[in-house]
Amino acid sequence: MKKNLVFISTHIINEAVISEYKKMAKGKNYDYVLAIDNENFKTEIDNRISEKEFFGTKVKCFFFDKKLNEELKLPKYERNNLSEDFGKIMWYNGEYRFFYVKKYFPDYDFYWQLDWDCYFNGESYDAFLDQYLDRNEDLLILDFRKEILNGNWYHSKYVEWLYKDKEIYGSLYCISRISGRAADFLYDAIFKIEEKYKNLDDKSKSFWPFCELVTPTELMNNGYTCADIHQDTITYNKEYDLNTNRLFEHPDNLFYHPIKGDFINRENTLKKENQELKRKIKRLRIQNKTLNKKIEKLSTFKFNLFGIKFSHRKT
């Protein structure tokens, strides 16, 4: 069986991210790690690979940061700017995280990367990942497609300097798998692209290629195989609020993306709603008791009609 490493890439730690980690950690056919942007998280670490405890769960962590990016000598472009904002560099160059992970976990055939705002509506990632164990494509990615240079897709623009005479391809990076050999090729390709980009006289309308463009385009134009996984079990075309949609009440073993950034732990949501329901029931019981007393008083009454006293008792 081919060796697979799965990692969730995140810049924050909250109960929801750890909930996803626990689903990932139930997997039997792959290894796993939580890849944390420590430039943002800023925790003290002795080693990049270490075990930490978050919300009562022991988590196998891999920490990456600017220093690691510098060690790998990766370019720091975001659109047509050199940037010192690591968050922007990470958003624009999602393929870099494959390089970081592969440097410290080098012996895998395939690497799965999942964004922190993906939600798996099931018990274990196995239900999704196992269907790809026998797939050998170098890149499995959402919404893999052929694109047109300077077409409707924003990231197909301003890249004529690089892809004028080549077919270009697009994708969606939130869930993707790359082979080890393709990751090595792409890493080397980045430096060839950088050399060409640095030599441009005018970068005002020449952009550094976005990850969702450069990854499939470089691989497809150099003999590697790519495939779309959108048609299988992915839903991603709108922002989900789990507190409203309550997807977790009906598990379907689908991935959902993007989940709203302020979503909270499902268990806590249920507990709070249950407590509020109990309070409402208590208030209704008090109101019902008060109403019954009023009815009881009205069940026995006396009234005077034409000087005659009548007494009525409910039977």
Side-chain angles (χ1 to χ4, degrees):
M1 183 185 295
K2 298 288 180 69
K3 290 178 64 178
N4 286 263
L5 177 71
V6 185
F7 65 94
I8 296 172
S9 178
T10 186
H11 61 288
I12 62 172
I13 298 294
N14 60 22
E15 290 174 301
V17 170
I18 300 307
S19 174
E20 290 305 301
Y21 173 86
K22 288 160 71 173
K23 297 175 196 175
M24 179 175 66
K26 291 179 181 179
K28 298 176 181 178
N29 296 315
Y30 49 84
D31 295 330
Y32 54 87
V33 69
L34 186 65
I36 301 172
D37 174 357
N38 204 39
E39 204 66 37
N40 185 78
F41 190 60
K42 298 186 184 302
T43 189
E44 292 289 333
I45 57 171
D46 297 320
N47 299 294
R48 290 199 179 278
I49 302 171
S50 58
E51 186 179 86
K52 300 287 184 182
E53 184 170 318
F54 300 113
F55 302 102
T57 299
K58 291 182 178 180
V59 177
K60 183 179 180 180
C61 303
F62 168 68
F63 295 92
F64 61 90
D65 50 27
K66 280 184 180 180
K67 185 178 178 181
L68 179 55
N69 197 74
E70 291 168 1
E71 288 174 12
L72 293 178
K73 300 179 180 179
L74 288 163
K76 297 186 290 185
Y77 289 107
E78 185 259 332
R79 293 187 172 86
N80 60 343
N81 301 306
L82 273 172
S83 177
E84 291 301 323
D85 186 328
F86 193 64
K88 289 182 178 179
I89 296 169
M90 284 299 90
W91 176 79
Y92 204 82
N93 301 278
E95 74 275 20
Y96 286 10
R97 295 188 290 271
F98 280 126
F99 307 151
Y100 301 155
V101 170
K102 191 174 187 301
K103 177 177 172 60
Y104 282 84
F105 300 87
D107 300 322
Y108 289 86
D109 298 296
F110 297 104
Y111 298 83
W112 282 95
Q113 177 176 183
L114 298 100
D115 282 355
W116 70 278
D117 57 350
C118 290
Y119 170 71
F120 184 68
N121 195 24
E123 290 292 320
S124 167
Y125 283 11
D126 274 350
F128 172 76
L129 296 173
D130 281 0
Q131 64 187 311
Y132 301 107
L133 288 173
D134 296 325
R135 297 278 292 270
N136 293 311
E137 292 93 342
D138 291 292
L139 180 69
L140 296 176
I141 198 163
L142 284 179
D143 204 21
F144 170 69
R145 64 199 184 275
K146 183 175 283 190
E147 277 288 344
I148 300 171
L149 196 64
N150 294 315
N152 292 328
W153 187 40
Y154 178 76
H155 298 292
S156 71
K157 305 178 189 298
Y158 310 116
V159 289
E160 286 183 83
W161 66 273
L162 181 61
Y163 294 133
K164 183 178 180 180
D165 300 317
K166 294 182 180 180
E167 291 185 335
I168 67 169
Y169 299 84
S171 62
L172 185 66
Y173 232 88
C174 55
I175 302 175
S176 53
R177 188 198 79 174
I178 196 169
S179 68
R181 75 183 194 115
D184 288 339
F185 166 81
L186 190 58
Y187 177 73
D188 291 336
I190 292 298
F191 296 105
K192 294 177 182 177
I193 294 171
E194 181 189 26
E195 192 62 32
K196 187 172 182 178
Y197 194 61
K198 286 194 300 187
N199 290 329
L200 291 176
D201 293 327
D202 180 13
K203 296 184 178 65
S204 62
K205 292 189 176 181
S206 297
F207 281 12
W208 180 256
F210 187 55
C211 59
E212 294 175 352
L213 166 72
V214 70
T215 300
T217 298
E218 288 297 319
L219 294 181
M220 285 296 291
N221 279 284
N222 288 280
Y224 292 84
T225 54
C226 305
D228 180 29
I229 56 175
H230 167 225
Q231 73 280 4
D232 291 338
T233 59
I234 307 294
T235 302
Y236 66 90
N237 55 359
K238 64 178 180 179
E239 189 175 53
Y240 292 90
D241 177 357
L242 292 181
N243 300 309
T244 302
N245 295 54
R246 307 298 294 270
L247 299 169
F248 52 91
E249 292 184 342
H250 305 285
D252 54 15
N253 292 326
L254 303 183
F255 267 108
Y256 290 82
H257 174 274
I259 299 297
K260 286 184 69 174
D262 60 351
F263 70 109
I264 60 177
N265 180 270
R266 271 70 64 189
E267 184 179 358
N268 285 345
T269 302
L270 289 172
K271 285 180 179 178
K272 289 178 181 178
E273 290 181 354
N274 187 48
Q275 290 171 355
E276 180 60 26
L277 182 60
K278 286 180 179 179
R279 285 193 288 268
K280 287 181 178 179
I281 291 173
K282 185 177 181 179
R283 287 196 295 270
L284 286 171
R285 283 175 175 168
I286 293 172
Q287 292 172 2
N288 187 56
K289 189 175 181 179
T290 302
L291 183 61
N292 283 336
K293 287 181 179 180
K294 290 181 179 179
I295 293 173
E296 181 65 26
K297 286 182 179 180
L298 289 172
S299 66
T300 302
F301 60 89
K302 294 181 179 180
F303 60 93
N304 190 316
L305 181 63
F306 302 115
I308 304 173
K309 291 184 177 180
F310 290 85
S311 178
H312 172 75
R313 178 176 294 277
K314 184 180 179 182
T315 59

